[in-house]
Amino acid sequence: MTTLVCTSASNAAVPATRTLPNPPRVTLSYPSFSAYVKARQPLLLRTARSLTANPSDAEDLLQTALAKTYVAWERIEDHRALDGYVRRALLNTRTSQWRKRKVDEFACDELPEPDGVHTSDAAEQQALHDAMWRAIMKLPARQRAMVVLRYYEDLSEVQTAEVLGVSVGTVKSAVSRALGKLREDPELEPVR
């Protein structure tokens, strides 16, 4: 019976084909895993570096692949093909990382954050809130009521008209005039 065997660079003297009646199953314990890692780490690290652009990522990739190999160590029947097993684990892990990264991260021309007012200070937020209410209190009662219903109570123009008993057109024009006055208020100038 002829069996093809994958050989590594260190076993180059071994022929690619062998004739074995019944190849013995090699069972190695976990200490041989340590010996394998010590002997093969430089070669496997070069393989990992060819899969990534960053040497630190290559080391992480190799550690993940070796952890997967360690877990499956007793299930691996042919320990002569360990390099192939680890290389496949490297490739599968890198492909998995690439797919996850592709979903989670993507490049864009503009940042997704709005360019609005970024006030993280509670005192600044309170000062802005107070200034806004002082400006609203300067409006005539009817305009003030419409602005509060539209923007603080979040009612539609139709709902605001029904609550106040006026037409929708009246709500639109009064709110427009009120917003114009708020834009011109000198207390709200730093916000703009």
Side-chain angles (χ1 to χ4, degrees), residues 21-145:
N22 288 323
R25 181 171 178 197
V26 179
T27 55
L28 301 172
S29 62
Y30 288 116
S32 65
F33 176 79
S34 298
Y36 171 75
V37 171
K38 285 179 186 175
R40 305 301 292 163
Q41 186 174 8
L43 175 74
L44 296 172
L45 186 57
R46 280 194 301 271
T47 304
R49 283 187 179 159
S50 70
L51 295 173
T52 62
N54 185 346
S56 299
D57 291 340
E59 291 172 1
D60 292 343
L61 179 64
L62 179 59
Q63 287 300 316
T64 304
L66 288 174
K68 290 178 181 180
T69 305
Y70 180 80
V71 169
W73 187 259
E74 291 182 354
R75 292 189 320 251
I76 300 173
E77 292 181 17
D78 187 6
H79 282 245
R80 294 172 294 179
L82 281 171
D83 285 349
Y85 184 91
V86 175
R87 284 188 187 111
R88 176 50 65 180
L90 284 167
L91 186 60
N92 290 347
T93 303
R94 182 63 185 144
T95 302
S96 178
Q97 290 172 347
W98 177 78
R99 286 180 180 153
K100 287 178 186 175
R101 182 189 58 81
K102 188 159 182 118
V103 172
D104 293 341
E105 301 173 6
F106 57 93
C108 60
D109 292 336
E110 295 180 18
L111 294 175
E113 293 84 17
D115 290 334
V117 177
H118 298 290
T119 56
S120 59
D121 186 19
E124 288 180 24
Q125 289 179 347
Q126 186 62 43
L128 177 61
H129 182 265
D130 293 344
M132 181 60 79
W133 273 111
R134 281 191 301 274
I136 289 173
M137 293 307 289
K138 292 177 189 174
L139 295 173
R142 190 172 179 181
Q143 288 180 358
R144 183 172 55 239

Side-chain angles (χ1 to χ4, degrees), residues 145-160:
M146 290 182 190
V147 167
V148 169
L149 289 173
R150 283 285 291 130
Y151 297 105
Y152 283 92
E153 295 296 324
D154 202 25
L155 296 181
S156 68
E157 292 168 341
V158 174
Q159 291 170 328
T160 303

